[in-house]
Amino acid sequence: MNFNMHRDYNCKDEELPVVCGLSSLSLTRDQADFAAYSPRYTPEFVTNYKTDITSALELVEPKSETMEQKLITRRMYFTLGQLSDPISHLSGYLKLANSQLNLTSTDFGITHLRRCITKRDVEGAMKGLQTIIEKISRHREPLYALGLSDDLVKKFTDAADLIAADKQKQYDIITNRRMIVESNIALLNGLNTKLNEILAIGKILYKSTSTAKAHEYTFADLKKQVRRASKTVVDPQPTVN
């Protein structure tokens, strides 16, 4: 399958329809000014533009996939949050074995794992789990002699397996969506063409009369708004004591 890889827009695929959505708000408000400039800008033009934005949003970020991604992410956070007691128990066994092993919680990867869980760093937490599992295997005898059980170890291995499976599911969703987007770049490029036209006319109309409105028709400013909004965190942070 041959994909048209060329993108006419200078932003991420998922950002383009959001930028266009912001511009459509301004266009709706200023439609009378646009119509006075050219009969091209009818209410139907605005409606069609919004329809194209909706189609682009569904292409780059379908609601079903977006919800699935969020559910997977929350499930990974939940899995990590469930490690609070196992980490505390393991830390206790490590202290009991200190005279034999002379290993700190940092050496064992516990400190790193706790930090990553608090920061919601799933990739880092995965590495921390792998370190802990490897350390347990290496120092199995003295830890088991002091009470460490297969059930406790299984909590770490199960968490690692669950998170790895969820990461793979997210990768599969993203990869499949990227292929679909690549095969429909023409739709996004067409939307970008309409966006650039609207921004150009908006600047003509308001460059000398309204600095605030002129900024609303500036791509760089719209992109900044989208990126600021994307950094907002809405879920509470998990904590590990």
Side-chain angles (χ1 to χ4, degrees), residues 98-147:
N98 183 60
S99 60
Q100 296 169 271
L101 300 180
N102 194 29
L103 291 173
T104 66
S105 292
T106 299
D107 298 329
F108 217 78
I110 292 174
T111 302
H112 174 75
L113 178 58
R114 279 177 168 154
R115 185 182 303 117
C116 289
I117 292 174
T118 299
K119 293 169 60 179
R120 293 185 142 182
D121 178 3
V122 176
E123 296 289 347
M126 277 293 295
K127 292 178 182 177
L129 280 168
Q130 291 164 1
T131 298
I132 287 174
I133 292 168
E134 186 273 329
K135 292 286 187 180
I136 290 174
S137 177
R138 184 182 300 179
H139 303 288
R140 180 185 179 89
E141 286 191 26
L143 291 171
Y144 269 69
L146 291 168

Side-chain angles (χ1 to χ4, degrees), residues 19-89:
V19 168
C20 291
L22 291 176
S23 72
S24 74
L25 295 175
S26 300
L27 176 62
T28 300
R29 180 196 62 205
D30 301 328
Q31 189 268 326
D33 290 342
F34 273 72
Y37 180 81
S38 170
R40 168 176 170 77
Y41 301 108
T42 61
E44 184 179 8
F45 177 92
V46 178
T47 298
N48 290 339
Y49 183 51
K50 291 179 179 179
T51 299
D52 290 344
I53 293 170
T54 300
S55 297
L57 279 170
E58 186 60 25
L59 172 64
V60 300
E61 232 173 72
K63 290 181 180 179
S64 59
E65 289 184 6
T66 300
M67 180 59 67
E68 187 175 0
Q69 289 273 33
K70 289 181 178 178
L71 290 174
I72 292 172
T73 298
R74 289 175 184 172
R75 188 165 61 229
M76 289 191 292
Y77 291 157
F78 177 79
T79 298
L80 291 175
Q82 294 296 102
L83 289 173
S84 179
D85 283 345
I87 289 173
S88 294
H89 282 72

